[in-house]
Amino acid sequence: MRKVHRQQILEVVASMHAAHQHCRDYLSGKAFQAAQGLLTDCQDAAIQIGELIEQLDGEGTEPVAFLEQYCERLYQVNVQIEVTSPQKAYKHLEEMLIRAENAIRHMRLRKEVVFLPYKASMWDSLESVYLAAREDKECDAYVVPIPYYDKLPDDSLGELHYEGDEYPSDIEITHYEAYDLEQRHPDVIYIHNPYDRCNVVTCVPERYFSSNLKRYTDCLVYIPYFILDEIEPDNQEAIDTMKHFCFLPGTIWADKVIVQSEKMRQIYINEYRKAAREVGLSGEHTDRKKLEEKILGLGSPKLDKVHRTNRENMEIPEAWRKIIEKPDGIWKKIIFYNTSIGAMLQSEEKMLQKMKSVFRTFKEQQEEVALLWRPHPLLESTIKAMKPQMRAEYEKLVQEYRTKGWGIYDDTAQLDRAVVLSDAYYGDRSSVVQVYQETGKPVMIQNVEGV
């Protein structure tokens, strides 16, 4: 039984207690027919509660046994309704119902937890939490990928996407149309999209905004899909470059926010309070003690994912192997080339020229080195929404790279595979760098200006 079911049952039981009082009053006034109607209603309610408990927890539970005894007491009062003492009937009914109620209150509760990712490539920010929940025998965990829209240059909604078929094969997926949040009211909801309507590149349907999800759960938890550079809490210049992440709809509406480290936790708390004051919020939004309870520096599941992944149990596409392996079967050195949204927006044409230069260099070295290019999963959508004048040239560059086939183009959802498979990182500064550094392998940041 889940907490929400117990609460629903106890609300019915409360109405049954009230019915006992009315029944006593009817008996005192010799309104026997009205009293019998209430007794029948109580019996129907007890039967329905018993059936629900058996459906949720199986047969033979103590609450159901007490409910059966309660129904027997209802029968006895009913057959002696014209001669029984009103107070005695009330006392006997209350005694049996209280026994059943106490047994219901002490039933072991199961927890239902639902994960609502939208981009399959960002699933690694939730996966280790889901796996732990799945192993908990007293928890029912569901992964419900939600759809999302592209944003058009005029900020209207474009094409609707659903990536539920792109998750790892060992993750059981529930379609969003088959999971009614309002009806099921999960105990905990996990999200990795904090933006609601604030993102200029993508947007989830309004019913999945954090402001709405808050209504359907006892605990809304936000875990960022990214990892940031570690910053000292007193380095305000560096903090100013990322503080916008600290005060978004997801951080505002969530009951818990899980960030990558204790230092980042302190930054989130400090910047959240400042931003809240600036927009006129108070109370829990500016109370440091409350924010210390809300924002926790427990680490990022993205790192857990990389630590669990190794080459030996990794599925590598055959097309990739043809690029990676030399004629004698020995592997070439694999370079993970990462291109970020930030660099593209900042440098535009210089970034495209830099990419072309990188491709020329690695193409010349393809006998010894395999280039694995993995652009940010939302890079193409970002260009469409924010830099439409660059779209044609970027798409041409992608098409040429993929068609010529001398390098790997990775547009899958599996960031961890690219990180573990490669021998070194080359590319832009991004959250991927923080993940890659965990491997201890070389990291080289490209200089876009040095085309």
Side-chain angles (χ1 to χ4, degrees), residues 210-276:
S210 56
S211 56
N212 288 326
L213 295 177
K214 174 81 169 179
R215 299 155 45 200
Y216 303 137
T217 183
D218 297 333
C219 185
L220 179 63
V221 182
Y222 162 57
I223 303 179
Y225 62 85
F226 50 82
I227 299 180
L228 300 171
D229 287 336
E230 279 296 307
I231 303 172
E232 293 298 325
D234 60 354
N235 185 351
Q236 193 60 48
E237 183 179 357
I239 290 171
D240 287 342
T241 66
M242 54 69 64
K243 64 182 181 181
H244 57 283
F245 289 120
C246 305
F247 195 72
L248 291 167
T251 58
I252 295 169
W253 289 102
D255 298 288
K256 300 292 181 182
V257 177
I258 311 299
V259 297
Q260 67 197 55
S261 67
E262 181 58 31
K263 289 181 180 179
M264 196 60 67
R265 173 177 180 249
Q266 292 304 319
I267 292 170
Y268 264 70
I269 291 171
N270 294 339
E271 297 305 315
Y272 186 105
R273 293 181 76 207
K274 292 178 187 176

Side-chain angles (χ1 to χ4, degrees), residues 157 381 407:
L157 299 180
S381 296

